[in-house]
Amino acid sequence: MTIVDLKQRLQEKISQISEPNLIHNKFVRPQRLMKTLTVIEKKFDDSENTQPLDEKIFKTINRLKKNGFGDLTRRDLKNLAWALGKKLPSENEKMLFTQLGKEIINYFSKANFDLLRLVYFPLLYTYFSFEKKEVDKTPSTWVLLRNILSQNKSKLFMDLRKPKPWMTTLVDHAEILSDQPTKKFVRDFLQDNDQNRISAELESLRISASSWFWDDLIRSSIKSIKNMKEDEYFKIIPRFLLLLEKNKLYTTDILVALLERYARTSQREKVHEVLKHLALDQWGNPQYEASSGWVNVNVDTKKMVIQWFVKADLEAFFKLFNQNADIQRFNYWMRFIDQITFSQIFLGSNALNSKRDEHLKFRKMNRGRIKELAGSTTSTNNAFLLKIGNVYIVDFSETGNACYFYNRLPYKDYIGKIDIKTLRNQEICIDRQTRNGNWQPRFDNALARLGIFAKR
């Protein structure tokens, strides 16, 4: 091999090693060293932004009150940034909302960038440290704090040789420092099955669990229900029910939003069992005026839920607890469902003591709504009552019993065990109809005389 050939091969090897994209193919990356470096950097960042003891913060506040800003060191100024989220023993509210807090935040708003770089993270931590009730009225000092953070964010990011993780998070999610801080997160929050994903994504900001931020995120998500498309809404119901289960504080807000939106869907007549019984547990029976919780929804939405209960009661009476389902009678009374404002089921001993799974489930889900039918009747007989307009209609499951019409409730509602004689009281009833032969036209005429007409 000639000298020329050797030189050429040597140059080729050098050239290969010199290519940037091949460097790591020639040298093993120091993985353990890099991992150690990452740990050290995190420890340094944590120590740099460790919140000082309250004792040190309060000493700085006393020094400020005594000598003003002129004698404060850089460490003192950093302590003041932390102090804005603290409550002094002598104050009823946190420092940011006091007169002294106003002076401190005004001082930082006029500070040079070198100082702001020092106090930026303490101010950021303070921004997230407040609870919803503290920022409900968006105090001017809190808005000023947000403006300071927002206006200096980009400059701080560019100034850092190696941006901190929290700084990168702020830049990636710029809306956090806007007047709609959670808007971008709402869809992710609703569609992501991992409820901790957003928390992990924002971990570097060290947002406390009680922060206004999480409250804003949940409430913004709830508000989004109102304008959801119908198919999107039905898909999201389970997500909100899970959210409600884990965040009891928002039960009323979530329930109201779900019911109001359901009432505007094309499926409002289709009973949603979970929503129905959740509302019953929270606000009581919507058929009773005493159930004041129903003022949370509008009249039309309440009417929808009442119809859910009426339909379920009629289905239970004619199908669930009746061995020979009387579909003809069920369909007849369903023609009036838009006008029915109250329904009541009276179960005989067989239905009350049945161990069938579907019977047990119905009784459990309607605990407090079912009355016992007692007196001189068979164990298989049941009864129901419907209120249409100002008329109370009582009917029975077994043949040989007429249908009774009353202009007032024929029993005392607070009693749980009702004698059948009370429901078949000919002395106070205003009409009585049997179901012999072609009974539907006769019932229509009887109801028409009372001002009741089917709308279906």
Side-chain angles (χ1 to χ4, degrees):
M1 181 180 293
T2 65
I3 297 295
V4 175
D5 290 337
L6 185 60
K7 183 177 181 180
Q8 183 179 351
R9 291 183 64 180
L10 183 61
Q11 290 293 338
E12 288 174 355
K13 292 294 183 182
I14 294 174
S15 176
Q16 289 177 1
I17 295 174
S18 300
E19 292 182 22
N21 61 336
L22 295 176
I23 289 177
H24 296 306
N25 292 336
K26 303 301 178 182
F27 301 99
V28 178
R29 289 175 63 85
Q31 298 291 354
R32 293 181 63 184
L33 182 61
M34 294 177 69
K35 185 176 180 179
T36 301
L37 178 61
T38 301
V39 172
I40 292 174
E41 286 180 338
K42 187 176 186 308
K43 286 184 178 180
F44 177 78
D45 290 341
D46 289 345
S47 63
E48 184 183 28
N49 290 314
T50 298
Q51 191 169 177
L53 297 174
D54 286 353
E55 182 183 355
K56 292 184 178 181
I57 292 176
F58 296 155
K59 283 183 178 180
T60 300
I61 293 296
N62 289 333
R63 194 176 300 124
L64 171 65
K65 289 180 177 180
K66 185 176 181 180
N67 302 317
F69 290 96
D71 292 340
L72 299 181
T73 65
R74 287 174 62 85
R75 173 57 62 185
D76 288 334
L77 291 171
K78 195 170 185 178
N79 285 347
L80 288 184
W82 289 110
L84 291 172
K86 296 287 184 179
K87 183 188 290 186
L88 295 181
S90 59
E91 298 287 351
N92 294 322
E93 53 188 352
K94 291 181 180 175
M95 179 69 70
L96 181 67
F97 309 118
T98 65
Q99 180 58 38
L100 184 58
K102 184 176 181 179
E103 294 174 13
I104 295 172
I105 200 66
N106 281 331
Y107 180 84
F108 285 137
S109 70
K110 300 171 184 176
N112 57 49
F113 181 71
D114 183 55
L115 175 57
L116 285 176
R117 181 169 47 194
L118 173 71
V119 301
Y120 194 95
F121 185 83
L123 291 178
L124 181 66
Y125 181 89
T126 298
Y127 171 67
F128 288 117
S129 69
F130 302 108
E131 297 179 15
K132 174 186 178 294
K133 61 184 178 181
E134 295 174 307
V135 298
D136 260 349
K137 298 179 181 179
T138 54
S140 58
T141 48
W142 184 73
V143 175
L144 180 56
L145 171 58
R146 183 179 67 197
N147 291 341
I148 293 172
L149 295 169
S150 178
Q151 292 166 6
N152 291 278
K153 174 190 61 183
S154 297
K155 187 176 180 181
L156 180 62
F157 182 80
M158 291 185 291
D159 183 69
L160 294 172
R161 182 180 62 83
K162 184 179 180 181
K164 310 292 185 184
W166 57 266
M167 192 72 250
T168 302
T169 301
L170 271 189
V171 172
D172 290 343
H173 304 288
E175 69 284 347
I176 286 179
L177 297 176
S178 72
D179 56 1
Q180 292 183 306
T182 59
K183 184 178 180 180
K184 182 181 175 183
F185 295 100
V186 169
R187 182 165 293 274
D188 292 339
F189 179 72
L190 293 178
Q191 296 184 348
D192 199 325
N193 291 326
D194 181 5
Q195 296 192 56
N196 296 318
R197 192 182 70 80
I198 294 178
S199 297
E201 190 176 347
L202 303 178
E203 182 181 7
S204 63
L205 300 181
R206 289 162 56 180
I207 304 176
S208 67
S210 60
S211 172
W212 59 266
F213 179 86
W214 304 118
D215 184 88
D216 189 277
L217 177 59
I218 293 177
R219 292 187 186 280
S220 296
S221 300
I222 296 171
K223 288 179 182 177
S224 71
I225 295 175
K226 182 178 181 179
N227 298 316
M228 282 183 182
K229 294 180 179 179
E230 190 166 307
D231 57 341
E232 181 185 9
Y233 164 72
F234 283 118
K235 289 178 182 177
I236 213 71
I237 290 177
R239 177 73 174 92
F240 274 105
L241 292 177
L242 181 62
L243 179 64
L244 181 152
E245 185 179 330
K246 295 186 176 183
N247 298 271
K248 300 297 185 182
L249 177 65
Y250 303 98
T251 295
T252 297
D253 293 320
I254 293 175
L255 187 55
V256 167
L258 289 176
L259 288 174
E260 295 284 18
R261 183 66 184 92
Y262 202 106
R264 292 189 290 110
T265 69
S266 59
Q267 299 186 38
R268 61 172 285 152
E269 294 182 2
K270 182 179 179 181
V271 180
H272 193 291
E273 290 294 339
V274 177
L275 287 180
K276 183 182 78 170
H277 291 288
L278 183 61
L280 178 65
D281 289 341
Q282 290 298 316
W283 302 330
N285 192 336
Q287 299 172 335
Y288 290 110
E289 292 299 327
S291 301
S292 58
W294 286 94
V295 299
N296 288 297
V297 296
N298 65 50
V299 175
D300 183 62
T301 301
K302 179 181 177 180
K303 181 180 178 181
M304 174 191 72
V305 181
I306 289 175
Q307 289 171 4
W308 286 356
F309 280 101
V310 171
K311 183 178 181 182
D313 285 349
L314 289 174
E315 287 179 338
F317 182 84
F318 288 112
K319 300 177 182 180
L320 184 62
F321 291 106
N322 195 335
Q323 293 181 348
N324 301 307
D326 193 342
I327 301 301
Q328 193 177 47
R329 268 205 292 165
F330 172 77
N331 291 335
Y332 180 84
W333 291 116
M334 282 296 292
R335 295 163 60 222
F336 299 90
I337 192 167
D338 290 343
Q339 304 173 65
I340 300 173
T341 57
F342 181 79
S343 62
Q344 177 68 63
I345 284 187
F346 309 82
L347 296 181
S349 58
N350 275 18
L352 278 176
N353 299 313
S354 171
K355 301 300 181 182
R356 287 173 55 182
D357 289 343
E358 58 268 37
H359 291 173
L360 289 171
K361 181 179 179 181
F362 182 85
R363 295 200 303 265
K364 178 181 178 182
M365 298 292 278
N366 289 275
R367 189 180 295 114
R369 294 190 62 248
I370 299 173
K371 293 185 182 298
E372 179 181 354
L373 183 63
S376 301
T377 182
T378 64
S379 61
T380 56
N381 197 17
N382 303 311
F384 74 82
L385 176 143
L386 302 176
K387 183 183 180 184
I388 306 177
N390 293 317
V391 179
Y392 296 86
I393 302 165
V394 177
D395 205 353
F396 301 87
S397 62
E398 294 191 345
T399 57
N401 293 277
C403 180
Y404 294 81
F405 298 73
Y406 299 92
N407 58 9
R408 62 180 175 83
L409 201 63
Y411 58 89
K412 294 179 180 179
D413 192 45
Y414 61 84
I415 299 176
K417 191 173 183 178
I418 307 299
D419 193 295
I420 192 171
K421 291 188 298 184
T422 306
L423 301 180
R424 295 191 304 196
N425 192 336
Q426 296 189 45
E427 294 182 3
I428 65 170
C429 74
I430 56 177
D431 200 353
R432 176 178 175 275
Q433 296 290 326
T434 62
R435 293 189 302 276
N436 299 325
N438 188 19
W439 58 272
Q440 290 95 329
R442 284 190 290 105
F443 270 60
D444 284 344
N445 291 333
L447 291 170
R449 290 194 296 270
L450 298 172
I452 299 172
F453 303 89
K455 294 182 179 179
R456 299 189 175 196

